[in-house]
Amino acid sequence: MTATIVIIGAGLAGLRTAEELRRTGYEGELVLVGDESRLPYDRPPLSKQFVRGETDDTTLRPAEFFDDKGIALRLGTEAIGLDTAARTVALADGGVLAYDQVIIATGLRPRRLPGLPDLAGVHVLRGHADATALRADIADARRALVVGAGFIGCEVAASLRAEGLEVTLVEPQPTPLASVLGERVGELVARLHRAEGVDLRCGIGLDTLLSDDAGRVRGARLSDGAEVAADLVVIGVGSRPVTEWLDGSGVALAEPARGGGVLADEVGRTSAEGVWAVGDVAAWRHDTGETKRVEHWTNAGEQAKLLACALLGAEPPTAARVPYFWSDQYEVKIQALGVPSVEDTVDLISDDGRRFLVYYSRDGKLTAVVGAGMMSAVMKMRNRIATGASIAELLAST
C-alpha cells in the first residue's frame, strides 16, 4: 500500500501502531498526530520514577527515529472532527488532513469530581504536564491526600510515602482495586499500604476540599464527616475515553455505562469504512464475544500488531494472547496474567505477609494469576491460562 494513513493520538498505542505498520511493510505516507508538543513518551513511570525525581525523560523514541522511519509528526494540536465521507480529519490549529485509512488512538482523559473548588495543590495524573506539576508540589509538602485507590492512586500513594510524606488514601470501595482484582486480593494490597504507614480509609469518599486564604488546598472533608489535613491532593478516580471529537462522524461508540470508547472488531475495524481504533480508547470485541476496553501497557502493543496485519492484509500473529499488566508499589511488583474478574473463584496459593500468589478460576478453569513479588511464579502460568488448565489439578499439585 502507498496510501496515506493518519494516526490520531501520539501515545504508546499510536506509536506502536506506526512502528508495526512499517515493520509489516507499509511504505506509504504515515502521519502521527498528537495533542501534546512532546515526542511520544511512556506514561507508567510518571506515577513512580518521574514524580520521585529518579528520572526526567520517559521519551519512547528520539526525533531521528521518526525521520528514519518516515513517520511525519504533527504534534501540539488535537483532532476536533472526523469526516468519514470526505476522509478528512480537522485539527485544532486549523489544519485538515486527508486520509485513506485513519487510526483512532486518542487514549483517555482523567475524570474530575464535580463541584470541587478550583484550588492550588490539587492534581490529577495522566500526562507529562500533570506529573511535572505534582513533582514540583511534592518538594514543599508534608501531608498528602490521595482520592481513589485504583492503580494510579495506589502507585502515587506509594511514591509519596517514598518521598517521606504523610499519606491518607481514601477509597469508596471496600478495598483498593476491588473492582479489578476483587476484595480478597484488595485486602492484601491494603495490607501492603498500611504496612508502609499509609492511612488507608475504605468505604469513604471525598465530600469537599478545604482551602486557606491564599486559595491553596489545606485539607478535605470526607463523606463520613472527618476532616484530614493535606498540603497536596491527588485525585485518581478513573478516566474516560477521548471520543467527543467524533460527534457526528458516524463512528459507533460504546455506551458510557459499558465503559465507552470506540467500538471495534477483534482487529480494530470500526463501524466506518477506513476507520480503525487501538489502545485505551478502543472497545475491541474479544474471544468471549464481549466488547470492552483494556487499559494496559502491553495491550497497546498486542493490538497494534493485529491491526497492522489486518489493515495491510498480512498474516496475524498466531500465538494465544494472554493479557498481562503490572503495578509497581513500594519495592513490590504486582503482576496480573490473564483476565481476573470479581466473579471468579479466588484461591490463595502463597502468602508470606507481604508477597502473595493468587489463582482465579471460572467453571473449573484457570482464568488468571495475580502475584505480588512473585514474578517467576506468575509468568510461568501463561500457557496454563491460554489452555484453560483445570484449577482442581493445579491446586492438587501445589
Side-chain angles (χ1 to χ4, degrees):
M1 293 180 62
T2 57
T4 297
I5 299 177
V6 175
I7 302 173
I8 306 299
L12 179 69
L15 173 61
R16 290 288 183 262
T17 303
E19 292 176 331
E20 290 298 333
L21 287 167
R22 288 298 191 224
R23 186 175 293 118
T24 310
Y26 177 67
E27 297 179 351
E29 184 178 3
L30 186 55
V31 183
L32 186 61
V33 179
D35 61 351
E36 297 182 71
S37 58
R38 307 182 64 85
L39 290 170
Y41 59 87
D42 205 10
R43 294 183 189 274
L46 297 182
S47 60
K48 302 179 278 288
Q49 297 93 334
F50 185 86
V51 296
R52 297 196 299 263
E54 298 167 8
T55 185
D56 293 320
D57 185 13
T58 66
T59 303
L60 287 164
R61 294 287 185 264
E64 53 268 25
F65 168 85
F66 299 94
D67 294 333
D68 293 342
K69 297 297 183 181
I71 301 171
L73 293 175
R74 191 73 177 266
L75 302 178
T77 187
E78 61 182 334
I80 59 173
L82 177 66
D83 187 332
T84 56
R87 296 207 175 195
T88 58
V89 178
L91 303 180
D93 64 5
V96 177
L97 295 176
Y99 69 84
D100 293 286
Q101 304 283 329
V102 65
I103 300 166
I104 300 167
T106 43
L108 307 174
R109 182 175 292 122
R111 293 188 184 277
R112 296 179 182 271
L113 294 174
L116 295 179
D118 185 14
L119 303 176
V122 180
H123 302 267
V124 294
L125 183 57
R126 177 66 183 172
H128 193 277
D130 300 327
T132 299
L134 175 58
R135 187 163 111 171
D137 261 3
I138 289 174
D140 297 319
R142 185 168 63 87
R143 298 164 297 191
L145 170 66
V146 179
V147 180
F151 285 112
I152 292 294
C154 285
E155 290 175 2
V156 169
S159 290
L160 295 175
R161 282 298 297 144
E163 292 300 293
L165 276 67
E166 300 174 17
V167 177
T168 300
L169 175 59
V170 299
E171 169 55 57
Q173 297 187 85
T175 71
L177 302 170
S179 64
V180 182
L181 302 180
E183 292 181 24
R184 186 173 183 186
V185 177
E187 286 289 0
L188 301 177
V189 177
R191 180 183 66 187
L192 174 64
H193 284 273
R194 290 189 171 114
E196 294 289 339
V198 172
D199 179 5
L200 174 61
R201 307 187 192 187
C202 294
I204 295 172
L206 174 66
D207 179 23
T208 192
L209 298 173
L210 308 175
S211 67
D212 61 19
D213 294 337
R216 183 174 182 86
V217 69
R218 65 172 178 81
R221 184 168 61 247
L222 305 181
S223 60
D224 63 353
E227 292 190 4
V228 295
D231 307 307
L232 68 83
V233 174
V234 181
I235 297 177
V237 292
S239 303
R240 58 183 180 85
V242 179
T243 57
E244 60 273 9
W245 67 283
L246 295 170
D247 289 350
S249 68
V251 175
L253 305 178
E255 293 293 330
R258 298 182 62 84
V262 180
L263 286 171
D265 68 8
E266 64 278 359
V267 292
R269 293 187 189 90
T270 74
S271 62
E273 181 68 26
V275 181
W276 307 71
V278 68
D280 292 348
V281 74
W284 276 32
R285 186 168 63 241
H286 294 259
D287 295 340
T288 60
E290 182 183 9
T291 299
K292 64 178 180 179
R293 295 185 302 103
V294 178
E295 301 176 14
H296 301 307
W297 194 93
T298 55
N299 182 66
E302 292 172 351
Q303 285 189 345
K305 292 177 182 178
L306 292 170
L307 189 156
C309 289
L311 192 155
L312 299 176
E315 287 295 319
T318 57
R321 294 176 61 212
V322 178
Y324 170 70
F325 61 91
W326 75 94
S327 175
D328 294 316
Q329 300 176 31
Y330 309 102
E331 83 290 356
V332 177
K333 181 178 289 292
I334 300 173
Q335 298 169 286
L337 193 62
V339 184
S341 169
V342 296
E343 298 175 355
D344 288 350
T345 299
V346 175
D347 290 289
L348 183 61
I349 305 303
S350 174
D351 180 18
D352 68 1
R354 190 171 181 85
R355 301 184 306 154
F356 60 82
L357 182 69
V358 174
Y359 289 173
Y360 291 72
S361 61
R362 191 180 316 127
D363 298 328
K365 296 181 179 180
L366 182 70
T367 55
V369 175
V370 173
M374 304 285 285
M375 183 178 297
S376 177
V378 171
M379 299 311 292
K380 74 179 185 180
M381 300 302 293
R382 182 182 296 272
N383 188 57
R384 298 293 187 93
I385 295 170
T387 57
S390 164
I391 186 65
E393 293 179 5
L394 289 172
L395 294 177
S397 65
T398 58

